[in-house]
Amino acid sequence: MNVIGCARSLLCLAVTLSPAAVWAGPREEVTASIDKFLAARSFHASMSSTGERPMSNDIDYVAPGRYRMRMAGMGEQTIVGDTMYLNVGGRSMKVPLPKGTLSQWRDPARLAENAKTMSVTALGSESLGGVATRKYRVDHTQPQASSMTLWVAGNGYPLQIVTSAKLRGKPVVTTIRYSRFDDPGIKVEVPK
């Protein structure tokens, strides 16, 4: 999974409700967490996938549109706006991306449309790596049927997402663990 897939995993959950939304139930609690995630100025994510081709990578994000992804054996990718910079084996390449490749996942109209089919089930409280969380199952039918488990920390930020899917008929489980929200020490610069 690349940066685009990672962004889609969490941003597909997003809806555009006021941050002052009343926390009346699981859907509102998940919505508030996603709103907080979307407002974050920066974060770090560690992602791993099982399946036919297991992989892991680390992603740093800095608003409004800067991503850096490091994959073992694959080098580093940096995305600034609609340009990707690849660094593989000491060689750098600048590759234009189709306009809006990443920004589409933050488009309020698209997010509101996806939210129409979101259903949320509270799964109780759970400690995750020593952090108290609230656990939810989130199901969507748009843009395609999907289901994921979301853990929200006490500070309201998402802490972890686990999705299960099939790739070429084989099961794949992807886990994304978030940290360092709004950390000014996270910087994503254009490679030199």
Side-chain angles (χ1 to χ4, degrees):
M1 184 178 286
N2 58 22
V3 164
I4 296 164
C6 174
R8 183 183 333 159
S9 290
L10 185 57
L11 296 178
C12 280
L13 291 172
V15 295
T16 53
L17 295 178
S18 164
V22 176
W23 288 42
R27 181 182 173 102
E28 291 79 13
E29 291 175 11
V30 166
T31 297
S33 179
I34 301 311
D35 286 345
K36 193 165 184 172
F37 173 81
L38 289 172
R41 300 298 302 155
S42 62
F43 64 80
H44 177 81
S46 295
M47 185 171 65
S48 63
S49 290
T50 65
E52 189 176 319
R53 295 184 184 176
M55 56 69 87
S56 64
N57 60 29
D58 288 309
I59 299 165
D60 290 315
Y61 167 78
V62 176
R66 293 173 175 252
Y67 297 85
R68 178 179 47 244
M69 184 169 71
R70 293 182 185 107
M71 295 176 59
M74 299 286 292
E76 184 173 288
Q77 297 176 18
T78 302
I79 297 174
V80 177
D82 291 323
T83 303
M84 179 186 303
Y85 301 87
L86 300 170
N87 185 338
V88 179
R91 293 181 50 195
S92 294
M93 293 183 289
K94 182 178 175 180
V95 180
L97 296 172
K99 186 161 182 62
T101 298
L102 292 178
S103 62
Q104 67 179 319
W105 303 112
R106 289 183 174 268
D107 176 15
R110 182 183 182 121
L111 299 176
E113 185 65 28
N114 291 344
K116 289 180 184 176
T117 68
M118 180 175 81
S119 65
V120 179
T121 305
L123 301 176
S125 298
E126 184 175 308
S127 179
L128 190 64
V131 176
T133 69
R134 297 181 104 185
K135 185 176 176 183
Y136 303 92
R137 177 185 166 107
V138 181
D139 296 293
H140 275 279
T141 60
Q142 294 292 329
Q144 62 190 29
S146 65
S147 180
M148 63 188 74
T149 305
L150 169 68
W151 288 260
V152 177
N155 62 7
Y157 283 112
L159 181 63
Q160 181 170 280
I161 292 177
V162 175
T163 61
S164 297
K166 292 214 181 236
L167 182 61
R168 292 187 288 273
K170 302 202 178 194
V172 175
V173 176
T174 301
T175 302
I176 305 170
R177 183 72 177 259
Y178 294 96
S179 63
R180 299 180 61 195
F181 284 100
D182 295 324
D183 181 342
I186 297 176
K187 303 213 183 300
V188 177
E189 304 295 337
V190 173
K192 295 179 182 173

